[in-house]
Amino acid sequence: MNLPPGPRAMSELIKMLVQRRQHPIKLYESIFKKYGDIVYFKFGPYGFVMLNDAEATEQILLTDAKNYTKSTGYERFKLIVGNGLLVSEGDTWKKQRRLLTGVFSSKNIEKFYPIMVQESLKMMQRWKVNQEVDLAEEMNLVTLQIISFSLFGKDQFSDSKIVRSSLQEMLSYLQTTRHLWIQLLLSSFPIGNKRAKALAIEKSLPLKSTKKFFGAIQNIDKLVNGMIEERIQKGQKENLLDSLISVTDSTDQSQMNKEQLRDEVVNLLIAGHETTANALTWTWQQILRYPDVMKKVMEEVNSVISGETPSYEELTKLVYLKATFEESMRLFPPFWRISRRNMVPTKIKNFDIPQGTNVIASIYTLHRNPAYWEDPLSFRPERFINSESIKKNAYIPFGAGPRSCIGAHFATLEALTILAICLKNTQMTLLSPEDPAYFMSLTLQPKEGCKVRIEGWTKK
Ligand code: HEM
């Protein structure tokens, strides 16, 4: 068998485990440096492949996608999102993807633009001159408000603090190393559709943290199920949840049942805010760090936007701002890796990959790989203005292939709206270090947030 090169000695594997905990990216970088861009290793019975190669990544996500499922990490995620789109497989996923593609069409998403504008303005109105603000916190809050209002409708959703703390509690529970081991052990017994049974097993584990985790799940379920009942009763067509309730499958005319609705709503709450918030925080960090970028962004914003807020048409003309957002997601991709598992023996390039291997596409290092990017560490939005030369699948912040992000358009529209409105109306300076330490969980975040001082208003 022609396996990819990689660490084989137990002592090296143990060192890797320790390093993974301290600084996963340094581990990834050192592994690729030592063994090349396709690496294989085994922990006990579990095989892993790591990819830092655009063609190999394309193979697992696109050309050979039918031979891969989401990996064991996503399996445990089912405890939270049940059978939502992010984690479902097979026919269930196909059907849900068909239904949600219509709901997330550009035309449908544009309807939520006024919510994006209004929530950006509301956030800004909370700020005072000379106040120190953590943009990481602010971006988290505003994106959660936007996805909540888009889902449930304005003025109907006043519990976003509970939602936020519950979502954070649930995510952090799934991310600790101790649970990673549970995750590996449980991977032999896939949760599949049996969320209730899996939750019952998990609940019986003698861990303090499980109690908090289950409290958080209960809070979210209560809120979301209540909202579903209410919107079904109202029978209106005003928000995303209404669209989810009423969307009909063109092949068999079926609609989602309440359980499926719950799973998709929780899925969208989770997938739809933290990633965008992190992408925005990193973009602010770059704009505030590089005066030449700030100058160009401001020139564009001031020449394109005539009023306090951009019209939808004006927003589409902010080409340099969009490129700044894209370049920021190149260097700091919120989803910094994507993982899959092959259901049959596969080949990646000329290597043999045994069945059941966890294959990790390392987006962070791929986006910085000098084989694809000139001067990869410098921040240059211009790359995305003349983007023809970017190698296919060397830039995949929203994933690639059939399982790529369904919310990419929503996220981009939302991010440009928030950036444009704040840039047009406020002046701020960066207080956090220019090159902040990372916190790497499911998403990549600046460890200490992004602290700024509000210097004043351009127009108030
Ligand atoms: C900048 C913000 C965002 C980034 C970087 C991002 C990134 C991604 C990536 C990389 C995937 C693929 C994961 C994989 O292949 O395993 C994904 C999937 C997904 N995203 Fe996003 N996302 C963002 C915003 C959003 C938003 C705003 C929503 C919804 C409102 C959303 C909903 C989803 C869903 C439902 C999936 C699963 C799609 C499927 O498996 O068919 N995302 N996202």
Side-chain angles (χ1 to χ4, degrees), residues 397-415:
F398 292 112
R403 305 225 49 167
S404 64
C405 180
I406 207 161
H409 179 65
F410 188 103
T412 308
L413 182 64
E414 175 183 24

Side-chain angles (χ1 to χ4, degrees), residues 98-116:
R98 246 191 342 257
L99 288 172
L100 267 80
T101 298
V103 174
F104 275 86
S105 69
S106 308
K107 210 168 134 241
N108 216 16
I109 291 312
E110 273 173 46
K111 288 199 299 217
F112 302 108
Y113 182 56
I115 293 180
M116 296 172 185

Side-chain angles (χ1 to χ4, degrees), residues 27-62:
L27 168 68
Y28 280 38
E29 285 170 340
S30 66
I31 283 184
F32 292 130
K33 195 166 169 205
K34 189 164 176 192
Y35 296 104
D37 287 337
I38 304 179
V39 180
Y40 177 83
F41 55 91
K42 254 184 128 179
F43 275 117
Y46 307 107
F48 292 87
V49 165
M50 285 169 54
L51 303 177
N52 187 30
D53 178 296
E55 282 159 21
T57 302
E58 179 173 338
Q59 225 174 325
I60 64 150
L61 296 181
L62 233 132

Side-chain angles (χ1 to χ4, degrees), residues 443-456:
T443 54
L444 172 69
Q445 308 163 30
K447 198 172 183 180
E448 310 288 346
C450 177
K451 313 273 185 336
V452 299
R453 185 172 37 244
I454 306 299
E455 301 293 359

Side-chain angles (χ1 to χ4, degrees), residues 273-432:
H273 95 280
E274 203 189 279
T275 38
T276 317
N278 289 330
L280 273 161
T281 305
W282 284 114
T283 308
W284 279 119
Q285 179 83 31
Q286 309 317 304
I287 293 178
L288 294 168
R289 173 182 181 179
Y290 297 112
D292 56 323
V293 175
M294 172 63 101
K295 189 165 170 270
K296 287 184 193 161
V297 159
M298 287 312 297
E299 275 168 11
E300 186 180 70
V301 162
N302 286 327
S303 74
V304 171
I305 305 173
S306 50
E308 188 187 18
T309 63
S311 66
Y312 185 79
E313 209 208 327
E314 284 173 335
L315 199 79
T316 58
K317 292 186 185 147
L318 298 173
V319 180
Y320 189 80
L321 185 63
K322 181 158 181 264
T324 304
F325 179 61
E326 288 168 333
E327 173 69 341
S328 183
M329 286 199 294
R330 180 183 71 81
L331 282 172
F332 307 99
F335 243 90
W336 55 282
R337 58 173 177 192
I338 290 180
S339 31
R340 294 288 186 270
R341 197 171 195 213
N342 57 351
M343 298 173 294
V344 292
T346 47
K347 274 198 166 273
I348 295 182
K349 290 202 154 170
N350 58 342
F351 294 115
D352 297 311
I353 311 297
Q355 179 179 355
T357 302
N358 290 288
V359 183
I360 300 160
S362 165
I363 304 184
Y364 177 94
T365 55
L366 185 71
H367 284 184
R368 293 169 175 235
N369 189 333
Y372 311 120
W373 305 96
E374 196 191 304
D375 196 6
L377 299 188
S378 61
F379 188 80
R380 281 201 224 147
E382 287 75 9
R383 296 178 207 269
F384 290 91
I385 291 177
N386 305 309
S387 57
E388 302 82 38
S389 61
I390 294 176
K391 179 156 171 83
K392 197 170 158 228
N393 293 310
Y395 180 70
I396 50 164
F398 292 112
R403 305 225 49 167
S404 64
C405 180
I406 207 161
H409 179 65
F410 188 103
T412 308
L413 182 64
E414 175 183 24
L416 294 184
T417 309
I418 295 168
L419 289 166
I421 290 179
C422 295
L423 283 163
K424 177 84 204 221
N425 297 286
T426 63
Q427 286 155 358
M428 33 178 133
T429 47
L430 184 64
L431 302 176
S432 285

Side-chain angles (χ1 to χ4, degrees), residues 13-275:
L13 290 166
I14 289 171
K15 237 177 38 216
M16 276 168 56
L17 255 191
V18 176
Q19 213 183 346
R20 182 192 170 278
R21 218 177 159 171
Q22 289 164 346
H23 204 311
I25 277 302
K26 283 211 175 108
L27 168 68
Y28 280 38
E29 285 170 340
S30 66
I31 283 184
F32 292 130
K33 195 166 169 205
K34 189 164 176 192
Y35 296 104
D37 287 337
I38 304 179
V39 180
Y40 177 83
F41 55 91
K42 254 184 128 179
F43 275 117
Y46 307 107
F48 292 87
V49 165
M50 285 169 54
L51 303 177
N52 187 30
D53 178 296
E55 282 159 21
T57 302
E58 179 173 338
Q59 225 174 325
I60 64 150
L61 296 181
L62 233 132
T63 40
D64 201 14
K66 66 174 188 317
N67 288 323
Y68 288 86
T69 58
K70 296 233 168 169
S71 68
T72 48
Y74 291 101
E75 185 63 29
R76 261 180 65 69
F77 217 57
K78 288 182 180 173
L79 290 177
I80 301 178
V81 298
N83 231 350
L85 196 64
L86 197 61
V87 295
S88 59
E89 298 285 355
D91 288 343
T92 309
W93 170 77
K94 259 193 209 144
K95 185 169 176 173
Q96 290 304 110
R97 179 87 192 194
R98 246 191 342 257
L99 288 172
L100 267 80
T101 298
V103 174
F104 275 86
S105 69
S106 308
K107 210 168 134 241
N108 216 16
I109 291 312
E110 273 173 46
K111 288 199 299 217
F112 302 108
Y113 182 56
I115 293 180
M116 296 172 185
V117 171
Q118 196 159 333
E119 287 310 309
S120 307
L121 285 173
K122 265 195 354 217
M123 170 181 69
M124 247 177 24
Q125 279 152 10
R126 282 201 306 270
W127 299 345
K128 309 228 166 11
V129 175
N130 280 332
Q131 187 188 349
E132 277 187 33
V133 166
D134 181 357
L135 286 180
E137 280 274 311
E138 296 293 311
M139 295 302 114
N140 246 292
L141 209 62
V142 73
T143 51
L144 182 58
Q145 293 287 97
I146 290 172
I147 189 66
S148 306
F149 284 153
S150 304
L151 272 166
F152 306 122
K154 283 201 72 60
D155 307 325
Q156 303 208 26
F157 199 70
S158 56
D159 294 306
S160 55
K161 271 204 179 126
I162 300 177
V163 174
R164 191 160 167 238
S165 63
S166 303
L167 293 178
Q168 271 167 357
E169 185 58 54
M170 297 192 307
L171 289 175
S172 73
Y173 176 79
L174 291 190
Q175 285 162 24
T176 61
T177 306
R178 182 177 53 207
H179 299 109
L180 186 80
W181 285 108
I182 298 174
Q183 173 182 312
L184 285 173
L185 287 171
L186 289 182
S187 65
S188 330
F189 312 99
I191 292 167
N193 290 338
K194 303 174 209 83
R195 176 171 177 260
K197 204 167 170 193
L199 281 172
I201 296 173
E202 185 95 16
K203 217 172 182 171
S204 66
L205 294 175
L207 298 169
K208 255 194 209 162
S209 51
T210 49
K211 211 172 165 195
K212 272 184 160 177
F213 175 65
F214 284 97
I217 289 196
Q218 232 170 17
N219 286 340
I220 291 284
D221 281 1
K222 195 168 153 218
L223 277 165
V224 170
N225 288 332
M227 208 54 79
I228 291 171
E229 289 297 342
E230 192 182 313
R231 297 310 300 176
I232 290 177
Q233 295 292 322
K234 286 222 162 110
Q236 290 164 346
K237 269 203 170 184
E238 287 171 351
N239 51 49
L240 265 179
L241 176 54
D242 296 340
S243 303
L244 294 174
I245 290 169
S246 63
V247 69
T248 307
D249 192 349
S250 55
T251 54
D252 60 8
Q253 310 310 311
S254 62
Q255 293 184 315
M256 285 187 230
N257 62 30
K258 285 183 191 167
E259 194 184 341
Q260 195 65 50
L261 281 168
R262 177 260 168 224
D263 290 351
E264 294 305 355
V265 167
V266 177
N267 189 137
L268 293 174
L269 276 174
I270 288 183
H273 95 280
E274 203 189 279
T275 38

